[in-house]
Amino acid sequence: MKKLIVLLLTAVCSISAQAQFLEKQLKFATFYTAVTGNNSLADVSVYSINQNTGFLEENIVSTPFDYTLAFGVRKIARLDYENRKNVFYNGTESSVSDAATVGNVEGLEYLFEFDYKRQQGSKFVDQQHFLRYVHDHWIIKTEYVQDGFADLKYFEASQRYRYNIAKEFSLNVGLVQRFSEPYGFDPLSELAGADFTNIALDQGYSTNFEGEWLNPSGEVVADNNIVWNAISLPIILNDYVDQERSLLPNQWNHSLVLGYDYYHYTKSFWFHSWASVLPFHVSTKNEYSYTNFIDGNTWFDYTGGLILGYQVNKRLGLFSEGKYHKYWNRAWHDFSVGFNYRII
C-alpha cells in the first residue's frame, strides 16, 4: 500500500511538473491562422501565327490572384528597436533579427509556420520552423526553412559554447549539423540524341500524324519538331532531372562553427550584428555529398546579419538592415536601406 501511495504521489508530482513546464513555455506564445490575398500580374496579350492558316492569333494570358494560407505559433521576444507591425499576426511577419544567434532574452524561443501560397500563378509550400535556447554560457539553435518560390530548402542545428567578452559582445564556438541537396548527380550525363526524346515518351508525351507533340493529358505543347526541340523538350528534361534528384536522400554535413554577436541600443542609435563562419567540415562518405563534389573538406560557408538605426534629430532618421547566407557555394540574401524625414 505504501508503495502504491509513493507511486501515485510520484506520478502526480511528475504530471504537475510537466504541466508547469508546458505552461511556462506557452506563456506569451501566440497561435495564428490567416488567409491573405492580392492581385497578381496583369493580363498579357500573346500573339502567334497559325502554322496551318498563316493568320495572326491573339491569346490572353491571365494570371490568377495571389494568396497565402498561413498557420503558425510563435514566441520570439522583440528587441528594443523593434515595433510590432500589426495588431494581429497574419503570417506576413518577418524580422531580420530572427536569424541572429542570440535573442533578446534567455530561455526558449520558437516559431513554427506553414504557408500554402499561390504566387504569379504557381503554387508553393513555404515552411519556417525555428527553436532557440539561449543561456549565459551556451546556445542551442535549430532551424528548418523551405522557400518554394526561391527553390530553397535547408535544415540546420547547432550547439555552441558562448563566451561573454562584455555585456554587448560575445563569441561562440561549436558544432553545426546541416543537410543539403545531392551534389554531382546528373542523370543526363550519359545520354544523347534520341535518348532525350525517349525520356519524354516515358513520361507520357506523344506525337500525332500532324507532327504535333502532346502532353500526358492530350494537350498540344508543340506544333512541330522545331518548337519541341527548342522549347518543350528542355523543360521536360529539367523536370526529369528534378524528379530524379528528389528520389535521392538529403546529404548530411557536420561542421565546426565560429561566431560572434554584438548588440548595442539607445533610443537614438542602435547597432546589431552577428556572423558565423564554418571553416571545416567532416566528410560523411556519401556518394553525392558536397565534400565529394568539390573533393575536399575545407571550403568556407558563412552567414551574417546587420541592423543599424540612427535618429539624427527629431526629424531625420537613417536605417539599414540585411542578412546574407552562403552555403555550398549558393548565396541568398535580403536587405533594405533608407531614411525617414518627418516634415512637421
Side-chain angles (χ1 to χ4, degrees):
M1 185 65 181
K2 290 183 178 180
K3 291 183 178 180
L4 179 59
I5 293 175
V6 171
L7 289 174
L8 289 174
L9 290 174
T10 302
V12 170
C13 292
S14 176
I15 294 173
S16 177
Q18 293 177 14
Q20 291 176 2
F21 174 80
L22 183 62
E23 181 181 0
K24 179 180 179 181
Q25 301 310 322
L26 292 177
K27 188 176 182 180
F28 303 122
T30 302
F31 173 80
Y32 57 91
T33 179
V35 179
T36 58
N38 57 271
N39 293 335
S40 188
L41 299 174
D43 294 347
V44 178
S45 296
V46 178
Y47 297 93
S48 61
I49 297 177
N50 189 296
Q51 297 294 325
N52 297 321
T53 65
F55 291 109
L56 183 68
E57 295 181 349
E58 179 185 5
N59 294 310
I60 305 297
V61 178
S62 298
T63 303
F65 70 93
D66 296 346
Y67 66 81
T68 298
L69 176 61
F71 303 90
V73 58
R74 63 182 292 138
K75 179 186 176 183
I76 302 177
R78 293 192 302 275
L79 291 149
D80 300 298
Y81 54 77
E82 293 181 307
N83 293 316
R84 184 162 173 173
K85 180 180 178 181
N86 300 318
V87 176
F88 298 103
Y89 292 119
N90 61 10
T92 61
E93 295 77 19
S94 178
S95 175
V96 174
S97 65
D98 290 349
T101 309
V102 178
N104 197 32
V105 297
E106 290 193 0
L108 181 66
E109 296 180 295
Y110 51 83
L111 167 66
F112 299 97
E113 181 173 321
F114 178 91
D115 299 335
Y116 184 76
K117 296 183 176 181
R118 183 170 67 193
Q119 189 170 352
Q120 298 183 12
S122 299
K123 294 181 179 179
F124 304 100
V125 172
D126 287 356
Q127 298 183 69
Q128 184 176 8
H129 308 306
F130 163 94
L131 276 170
R132 177 174 61 197
Y133 194 99
V134 177
H135 187 269
D136 193 39
H137 296 297
W138 50 270
I139 307 164
I140 296 176
K141 185 177 180 181
T142 303
E143 183 177 22
Y144 176 79
V145 174
Q146 179 181 354
D147 187 333
F149 188 75
D151 190 25
L152 172 68
K153 180 171 64 175
Y154 75 94
F155 166 86
E156 177 177 305
S158 63
Q159 308 81 38
R160 313 188 192 201
Y161 168 73
R162 180 187 182 192
Y163 180 71
N164 297 296
I165 294 179
K167 183 179 179 181
E168 299 175 333
F169 182 58
S170 66
L171 300 175
N172 57 77
V173 59
L175 301 175
V176 173
Q177 303 82 42
R178 301 172 295 164
F179 69 59
S180 68
E181 64 183 20
Y183 284 87
F185 173 70
D186 183 5
L188 304 178
S189 61
E190 299 180 359
L191 303 180
D195 293 332
F196 298 137
T197 299
N198 289 333
I199 289 176
L201 296 175
D202 292 339
Q203 299 292 314
Y205 289 83
S206 61
T207 184
N208 57 25
F209 291 108
E210 285 77 24
E212 299 173 324
W213 285 89
L214 313 176
N215 65 16
S217 300
E219 300 170 335
V220 177
V221 294
D223 295 330
N224 51 59
N225 285 335
I226 295 176
V227 176
W228 168 257
N229 289 315
I231 300 176
S232 302
L233 185 56
I235 295 175
I236 295 169
L237 294 177
N238 183 69
D239 293 341
Y240 171 75
V241 171
D242 290 341
Q243 171 188 306
E244 292 300 301
R245 183 177 286 118
S246 67
L247 299 177
L248 297 175
N250 291 313
Q251 309 297 301
W252 282 96
N253 294 257
H254 304 275
S255 311
L256 173 72
V257 61
L258 307 170
Y260 79 87
D261 280 86
Y262 180 82
Y263 176 53
H264 170 78
Y265 174 81
T266 67
K267 289 185 177 181
S268 60
F269 177 79
W270 54 89
F271 185 86
H272 188 191
S273 175
W274 65 92
S276 295
V277 178
L278 288 68
F280 184 75
H281 316 271
V282 178
S283 175
T284 54
K285 305 299 183 181
N286 292 326
E287 181 179 359
Y288 299 113
S289 68
Y290 191 70
T291 54
N292 293 335
F293 179 68
I294 65 167
D295 193 25
N297 299 331
T298 56
W299 78 91
F300 279 83
D301 286 345
Y302 51 88
T303 179
L306 183 147
I307 299 173
L308 172 67
Y310 179 36
Q311 194 67 44
V312 181
N313 51 46
K314 292 182 178 181
R315 293 188 176 184
L316 178 62
L318 309 175
F319 68 90
S320 175
E321 63 178 33
K323 60 181 184 289
Y324 187 91
H325 280 79
K326 185 176 181 295
Y327 284 173
W328 310 294
N329 203 32
R330 180 180 179 182
W332 63 96
H333 56 85
D334 59 76
F335 70 91
S336 64
V337 60
F339 71 91
N340 287 182
Y341 185 80
R342 188 176 299 126
I343 299 175
I344 298 177

mmCIF file of all heavy atoms in Angstrom, residues 301-324:
data_model
loop_
_atom_site.group_PDB
_atom_site.id
_atom_site.type_symbol
_atom_site.label_atom_id
_atom_site.label_comp_id
_atom_site.label_asym_id
_atom_site.label_seq_id
_atom_site.Cartn_x
_atom_site.Cartn_y
_atom_site.Cartn_z
ATOM 1 N N ASP A 301 31.830 28.196 -45.579
ATOM 2 C CA ASP A 301 30.444 28.661 -45.586
ATOM 3 C C ASP A 301 30.311 29.745 -44.516
ATOM 4 O O ASP A 301 31.015 29.716 -43.501
ATOM 5 C CB ASP A 301 29.474 27.522 -45.278
ATOM 6 C CG ASP A 301 29.324 26.559 -46.443
ATOM 7 O OD1 ASP A 301 29.735 26.936 -47.555
ATOM 8 O OD2 ASP A 301 28.821 25.450 -46.242
ATOM 9 N N TYR A 302 29.411 30.673 -44.732
ATOM 10 C CA TYR A 302 29.251 31.733 -43.735
ATOM 11 C C TYR A 302 27.867 32.357 -43.833
ATOM 12 O O TYR A 302 27.181 32.252 -44.858
ATOM 13 C CB TYR A 302 30.325 32.812 -43.903
ATOM 14 C CG TYR A 302 30.470 33.359 -45.310
ATOM 15 C CD1 TYR A 302 29.697 34.439 -45.749
ATOM 16 C CD2 TYR A 302 31.399 32.799 -46.189
ATOM 17 C CE1 TYR A 302 29.842 34.943 -47.027
ATOM 18 C CE2 TYR A 302 31.541 33.293 -47.479
ATOM 19 C CZ TYR A 302 30.770 34.361 -47.889
ATOM 20 O OH TYR A 302 30.907 34.854 -49.163
ATOM 21 N N THR A 303 27.468 32.997 -42.752
ATOM 22 C CA THR A 303 26.197 33.696 -42.680
ATOM 23 C C THR A 303 26.342 34.857 -41.706
ATOM 24 O O THR A 303 27.167 34.811 -40.792
ATOM 25 C CB THR A 303 25.073 32.751 -42.226
ATOM 26 O OG1 THR A 303 23.839 33.472 -42.142
ATOM 27 C CG2 THR A 303 25.377 32.147 -40.860
ATOM 28 N N GLY A 304 25.580 35.894 -41.926
ATOM 29 C CA GLY A 304 25.669 37.044 -41.042
ATOM 30 C C GLY A 304 24.539 38.020 -41.266
ATOM 31 O O GLY A 304 23.768 37.910 -42.232
ATOM 32 N N GLY A 305 24.431 38.975 -40.358
ATOM 33 C CA GLY A 305 23.389 39.986 -40.472
ATOM 34 C C GLY A 305 23.800 41.261 -39.771
ATOM 35 O O GLY A 305 24.686 41.257 -38.903
ATOM 36 N N LEU A 306 23.163 42.360 -40.175
ATOM 37 C CA LEU A 306 23.455 43.660 -39.579
ATOM 38 C C LEU A 306 22.200 44.507 -39.584
ATOM 39 O O LEU A 306 21.486 44.564 -40.598
ATOM 40 C CB LEU A 306 24.585 44.355 -40.340
ATOM 41 C CG LEU A 306 25.060 45.709 -39.785
ATOM 42 C CD1 LEU A 306 26.559 45.881 -40.044
ATOM 43 C CD2 LEU A 306 24.309 46.882 -40.417
ATOM 44 N N ILE A 307 21.936 45.153 -38.474
ATOM 45 C CA ILE A 307 20.815 46.083 -38.341
ATOM 46 C C ILE A 307 21.349 47.357 -37.710
ATOM 47 O O ILE A 307 21.969 47.320 -36.642
ATOM 48 C CB ILE A 307 19.689 45.487 -37.478
ATOM 49 C CG1 ILE A 307 19.144 44.215 -38.127
ATOM 50 C CG2 ILE A 307 18.570 46.504 -37.267
ATOM 51 C CD1 ILE A 307 18.147 43.474 -37.264
ATOM 52 N N LEU A 308 21.115 48.487 -38.380
ATOM 53 C CA LEU A 308 21.618 49.770 -37.926
ATOM 54 C C LEU A 308 20.507 50.804 -37.971
ATOM 55 O O LEU A 308 19.782 50.897 -38.967
ATOM 56 C CB LEU A 308 22.787 50.220 -38.808
ATOM 57 C CG LEU A 308 23.329 51.641 -38.590
ATOM 58 C CD1 LEU A 308 23.996 51.742 -37.227
ATOM 59 C CD2 LEU A 308 24.314 52.006 -39.705
ATOM 60 N N GLY A 309 20.354 51.563 -36.900
ATOM 61 C CA GLY A 309 19.391 52.653 -36.869
ATOM 62 C C GLY A 309 19.985 53.867 -36.194
ATOM 63 O O GLY A 309 20.656 53.749 -35.156
ATOM 64 N N TYR A 310 19.772 55.046 -36.798
ATOM 65 C CA TYR A 310 20.345 56.273 -36.240
ATOM 66 C C TYR A 310 19.326 57.398 -36.368
ATOM 67 O O TYR A 310 18.969 57.806 -37.479
ATOM 68 C CB TYR A 310 21.635 56.631 -36.971
ATOM 69 C CG TYR A 310 22.289 57.907 -36.482
ATOM 70 C CD1 TYR A 310 22.264 58.266 -35.131
ATOM 71 C CD2 TYR A 310 22.950 58.745 -37.370
ATOM 72 C CE1 TYR A 310 22.868 59.434 -34.680
ATOM 73 C CE2 TYR A 310 23.557 59.918 -36.931
ATOM 74 C CZ TYR A 310 23.510 60.257 -35.589
ATOM 75 O OH TYR A 310 24.103 61.409 -35.149
ATOM 76 N N GLN A 311 18.831 57.863 -35.247
ATOM 77 C CA GLN A 311 17.915 59.004 -35.210
ATOM 78 C C GLN A 311 18.767 60.260 -35.111
ATOM 79 O O GLN A 311 19.197 60.670 -34.026
ATOM 80 C CB GLN A 311 16.962 58.893 -34.025
ATOM 81 C CG GLN A 311 15.776 59.842 -34.089
ATOM 82 C CD GLN A 311 14.828 59.515 -35.231
ATOM 83 O OE1 GLN A 311 14.497 58.353 -35.457
ATOM 84 N NE2 GLN A 311 14.411 60.547 -35.955
ATOM 85 N N VAL A 312 19.041 60.883 -36.264
ATOM 86 C CA VAL A 312 19.958 62.022 -36.325
ATOM 87 C C VAL A 312 19.433 63.189 -35.495
ATOM 88 O O VAL A 312 20.157 63.819 -34.729
ATOM 89 C CB VAL A 312 20.183 62.459 -37.783
ATOM 90 C CG1 VAL A 312 21.155 63.639 -37.848
ATOM 91 C CG2 VAL A 312 20.715 61.291 -38.606
ATOM 92 N N ASN A 313 18.157 63.493 -35.672
ATOM 93 C CA ASN A 313 17.495 64.528 -34.884
ATOM 94 C C ASN A 313 16.009 64.192 -34.821
ATOM 95 O O ASN A 313 15.612 63.080 -35.190
ATOM 96 C CB ASN A 313 17.745 65.932 -35.469
ATOM 97 C CG ASN A 313 17.423 66.002 -36.961
ATOM 98 O OD1 ASN A 313 16.374 65.520 -37.396
ATOM 99 N ND2 ASN A 313 18.329 66.589 -37.735
ATOM 100 N N LYS A 314 15.182 65.117 -34.390
ATOM 101 C CA LYS A 314 13.763 64.826 -34.232
ATOM 102 C C LYS A 314 13.078 64.521 -35.557
ATOM 103 O O LYS A 314 12.024 63.895 -35.589
ATOM 104 C CB LYS A 314 13.061 66.002 -33.542
ATOM 105 C CG LYS A 314 13.464 66.190 -32.084
ATOM 106 C CD LYS A 314 12.694 67.326 -31.448
ATOM 107 C CE LYS A 314 13.070 67.483 -29.973
ATOM 108 N NZ LYS A 314 12.308 68.592 -29.332
ATOM 109 N N ARG A 315 13.678 64.974 -36.652
ATOM 110 C CA ARG A 315 13.035 64.788 -37.960
ATOM 111 C C ARG A 315 13.694 63.717 -38.828
ATOM 112 O O ARG A 315 13.028 62.994 -39.541
ATOM 113 C CB ARG A 315 13.029 66.118 -38.723
ATOM 114 C CG ARG A 315 12.149 67.189 -38.095
ATOM 115 C CD ARG A 315 12.041 68.391 -39.006
ATOM 116 N NE ARG A 315 11.120 69.404 -38.465
ATOM 117 C CZ ARG A 315 10.788 70.510 -39.098
ATOM 118 N NH1 ARG A 315 11.292 70.764 -40.296
ATOM 119 N NH2 ARG A 315 9.950 71.366 -38.539
ATOM 120 N N LEU A 316 15.008 63.612 -38.765
ATOM 121 C CA LEU A 316 15.736 62.741 -39.685
ATOM 122 C C LEU A 316 16.193 61.454 -39.008
ATOM 123 O O LEU A 316 16.778 61.494 -37.923
ATOM 124 C CB LEU A 316 16.952 63.474 -40.251
ATOM 125 C CG LEU A 316 17.846 62.678 -41.208
ATOM 126 C CD1 LEU A 316 17.074 62.262 -42.460
ATOM 127 C CD2 LEU A 316 19.086 63.495 -41.583
ATOM 128 N N GLY A 317 15.932 60.336 -39.665
ATOM 129 C CA GLY A 317 16.400 59.041 -39.180
ATOM 130 C C GLY A 317 16.941 58.202 -40.326
ATOM 131 O O GLY A 317 16.408 58.233 -41.447
ATOM 132 N N LEU A 318 18.027 57.477 -40.077
ATOM 133 C CA LEU A 318 18.655 56.612 -41.075
ATOM 134 C C LEU A 318 18.562 55.163 -40.618
ATOM 135 O O LEU A 318 18.638 54.881 -39.416
ATOM 136 C CB LEU A 318 20.126 57.000 -41.268
ATOM 137 C CG LEU A 318 20.431 58.482 -41.539
ATOM 138 C CD1 LEU A 318 21.935 58.695 -41.584
ATOM 139 C CD2 LEU A 318 19.779 58.937 -42.835
ATOM 140 N N PHE A 319 18.404 54.252 -41.569
ATOM 141 C CA PHE A 319 18.333 52.846 -41.189
ATOM 142 C C PHE A 319 18.942 51.966 -42.278
ATOM 143 O O PHE A 319 18.999 52.343 -43.456
ATOM 144 C CB PHE A 319 16.877 52.420 -40.945
ATOM 145 C CG PHE A 319 16.028 52.394 -42.184
ATOM 146 C CD1 PHE A 319 15.926 51.246 -42.966
ATOM 147 C CD2 PHE A 319 15.318 53.525 -42.580
ATOM 148 C CE1 PHE A 319 15.151 51.222 -44.103
ATOM 149 C CE2 PHE A 319 14.536 53.522 -43.717
ATOM 150 C CZ PHE A 319 14.446 52.362 -44.489
ATOM 151 N N SER A 320 19.406 50.805 -41.858
ATOM 152 C CA SER A 320 19.932 49.797 -42.774
ATOM 153 C C SER A 320 19.826 48.447 -42.087
ATOM 154 O O SER A 320 20.102 48.326 -40.892
ATOM 155 C CB SER A 320 21.394 50.091 -43.132
ATOM 156 O OG SER A 320 21.928 49.043 -43.926
ATOM 157 N N GLU A 321 19.396 47.440 -42.837
ATOM 158 C CA GLU A 321 19.331 46.090 -42.267
ATOM 159 C C GLU A 321 19.410 45.061 -43.389
ATOM 160 O O GLU A 321 19.026 45.315 -44.535
ATOM 161 C CB GLU A 321 18.048 45.883 -41.461
ATOM 162 C CG GLU A 321 16.762 45.970 -42.255
ATOM 163 C CD GLU A 321 15.541 45.704 -41.401
ATOM 164 O OE1 GLU A 321 15.554 46.045 -40.202
ATOM 165 O OE2 GLU A 321 14.567 45.122 -41.941
ATOM 166 N N GLY A 322 19.938 43.900 -43.064
ATOM 167 C CA GLY A 322 20.025 42.840 -44.058
ATOM 168 C C GLY A 322 20.735 41.627 -43.498
ATOM 169 O O GLY A 322 21.375 41.680 -42.449
ATOM 170 N N LYS A 323 20.595 40.526 -44.199
ATOM 171 C CA LYS A 323 21.300 39.298 -43.822
ATOM 172 C C LYS A 323 21.763 38.587 -45.086
ATOM 173 O O LYS A 323 21.204 38.772 -46.171
ATOM 174 C CB LYS A 323 20.420 38.379 -42.969
ATOM 175 C CG LYS A 323 19.134 37.905 -43.604
ATOM 176 C CD LYS A 323 18.368 37.025 -42.634
ATOM 177 C CE LYS A 323 17.106 36.436 -43.250
ATOM 178 N NZ LYS A 323 16.060 37.449 -43.463
ATOM 179 N N TYR A 324 22.793 37.775 -44.934
ATOM 180 C CA TYR A 324 23.432 37.128 -46.082
ATOM 181 C C TYR A 324 23.829 35.705 -45.699
ATOM 182 O O TYR A 324 24.376 35.480 -44.625
ATOM 183 C CB TYR A 324 24.670 37.920 -46.507
ATOM 184 C CG TYR A 324 25.301 37.442 -47.785
ATOM 185 C CD1 TYR A 324 24.925 37.982 -49.008
ATOM 186 C CD2 TYR A 324 26.286 36.450 -47.774
ATOM 187 C CE1 TYR A 324 25.502 37.548 -50.190
ATOM 188 C CE2 TYR A 324 26.867 36.006 -48.944
ATOM 189 C CZ TYR A 324 26.479 36.568 -50.163
ATOM 190 O OH TYR A 324 27.049 36.129 -51.329
#
